[in-house]
Structures are given as C-alpha cells and as structure tokens.
Amino acid sequence: QSALTQPASVSGSPGQSITISCTGSGSDIGSYALVSWYQHHPGKAPKLIIFDVSQRPSGVSNRFSGSKSGNTASLTISGLQAEDEADYYCCSYAGTSTYVIFGGGTKVTVL
Amino acid sequence: QITLKESGPTLVKPTQTLTLTCTFSGFSLSTSGVGVGWIRQPPGKALEWLALIYWDDDERYSPSLKSRLTITEDTSKNQVVLTMTNMDPVDTATYFCARMYGYRYDYWGQGTLVTVSS
C-alpha cells in the first residue's frame, strides 16, 4: 500500500495559519478515526502533536488542530511561529493487514 | 519519565542481518494496550513503519518487509529487538523505536543511523 499523500512543502508568515492535507483511501483514513500527526525537527525524535484525528496530547500547543473529511485528514497550525518550522507526518491505522501507514511528509517553512 | 533508546551497529554489509535493540524505561510492555514499534527514515525521505509488538506478544509487520523482519521482546530487560535480514544499501536509514498506545506513537527514541555498505 502506498504512503498517504501530503504536499511536499507548505509555507507561511509568522502569525498566519496553514493547513497540511493528508489524503489516503477508504482502507485507511476513510475507515478509521485513528489519524495521528508528528512534528519532526531533523536530528531529533519525532513528536506526537495530534492523535485520533483531533486530540492533542498534554503539553501540545492549542495552535495545532486536526480534522478529517472522507479520505483526507488535515493539520492546521494557527499563529505560525518560527519554532514550527519542521517536517510534519500524518499516520493512519490501515486495518489488520497493512496496519500502519505514514504520509510522505510535509516541510513547513516559516517565511 | 518515559524514554526509549536505540542501539546497534552503525555499519552493516550487504546481505548481512541487522539487529537493533530498543531499551526503554518509564513504562512496562506488560501493560494492556501498550506496544513498541520500529519506524525508519532513509536520508532525505519519509518515515516508514516497520514492525510492532504488543503487550500480549502480538506482532505486526509491514507487508512489504514482513519476510525480512522479526520483532521480539525481553520484558525482564525492558528491551525490544528488531532483526532485518538480507540488508541492502536501500535499507540505509535512521531507525527509530517508539512506544505505541492506542494506535499512536507517543514517545520516540532519538534514532540510530544504520549505513549499509561494503
């Protein structure tokens, strides 16, 4: 099964809002409310920022929000800050055969 | 405080078997709902899920790599071991281990870079 589809890059100015899409299929995102999002600064450990489509772990800024419609999940970062510049990956449960599938990653640039 | 740390060789030769160890603390792999998985990232590429072992010893593998992977646990040592056979240069990557809870990877190790080269 192919990776979930994300835009390669998204950019925005400080204070703006950006949205990253993550498109899958009816076998993964479309069938399960089990989408998670990870922030990854190269050279560091990835960080969970959204789970179960729209839930934020304790300690994660409320500037991060998640949603899902059909086969597409989305991550919105509001009030963009310089520290948000990183790679972002979506991930979905994909059933008992494929199990877990990641997106191709999106590089967020703060202009 | 939950921590995970990957260890293993930094360089392996083509056709060799890679053995990576994830040593964790701050949680138990005997706790219901908890798992430890492996994810890798080739240089400049995306994350790729490899394998997962649950508290009840249930094992899950990436379909594309299943024939080459084995994941095991040593609960007494708080370790999870991943073996990957028949290594190839395309397997060069940073390998991460992470705790899974409820279908989310909530804690990650820093990763270990493995290079496959003769």
Side-chain angles (χ1 to χ4, degrees):
Chain A
Q1 188 166 357
S2 300
L4 304 174
T5 301
Q6 297 181 233
S9 62
V10 173
S11 62
S13 299
Q16 285 187 329
S17 292
I18 61 170
T19 296
I20 302 168
S21 61
C22 170
T23 301
S25 70
S27 299
D28 38 68
I29 293 176
S31 291
Y32 307 99
L34 295 171
V35 178
S36 52
W37 289 88
Y38 302 87
Q39 178 190 61
H40 188 207
H41 290 101
K44 296 192 173 182
K47 177 185 178 182
L48 174 70
I49 56 173
I50 294 288
F51 67 95
D52 294 353
V53 175
S54 60
Q55 303 302 303
R56 270 189 314 275
S58 174
V60 172
S61 171
N62 59 9
R63 297 186 300 103
F64 295 95
S65 62
S67 63
K68 186 186 85 152
S69 178
N71 297 338
T72 298
S74 298
L75 172 72
T76 297
I77 308 174
S78 58
L80 200 60
Q81 298 179 1
E83 66 205 50
D84 300 331
E85 190 162 289
D87 298 320
Y88 291 82
Y89 292 90
C90 61
C91 177
S92 177
Y93 176 70
T96 55
S97 295
T98 302
Y99 212 69
V100 174
I101 186 167
F102 278 92
T106 297
K107 181 176 181 59
V108 168
T109 301
V110 181
L111 302 172
Chain B
Q1 181 187 3
I2 292 176
T3 64
L4 302 97
K5 187 173 183 178
E6 306 85 353
S7 60
T10 58
L11 179 66
V12 297
K13 296 183 185 321
T15 76
Q16 286 187 335
T17 294
L18 171 69
T19 299
L20 294 173
T21 300
C22 176
T23 303
F24 57 88
S25 63
F27 69 95
S28 172
L29 198 42
S30 300
T31 302
S32 178
V34 171
V36 173
W38 287 91
I39 302 100
R40 70 179 180 180
Q41 183 179 36
K45 296 189 176 181
L47 298 174
E48 178 185 17
W49 178 73
L50 300 177
L52 170 68
I53 189 164
Y54 277 112
W55 84 100
D56 58 357
D57 294 332
D58 185 21
E59 302 165 23
R60 301 285 174 167
Y61 296 97
S62 166
S64 62
L65 293 167
K66 184 175 182 177
S67 63
R68 299 173 53 206
L69 296 174
T70 303
I71 189 168
T72 59
E73 61 165 312
D74 186 333
T75 306
S76 65
K77 294 183 179 179
N78 281 353
Q79 291 181 333
V80 169
V81 175
L82 180 76
T83 60
M84 180 180 290
T85 61
N86 194 25
M87 293 292 285
D88 183 271
V90 299
D91 296 313
T92 293
T94 296
Y95 287 75
F96 298 95
C97 67
R99 187 184 87 149
M100 170 164 265
Y101 185 73
Y103 298 101
R104 60 191 181 264
Y105 285 102
D106 55 358
Y107 294 91
W108 294 64
Q110 292 281 349
T112 184
L113 176 62
V114 178
T115 301
V116 184
S117 175
S118 55

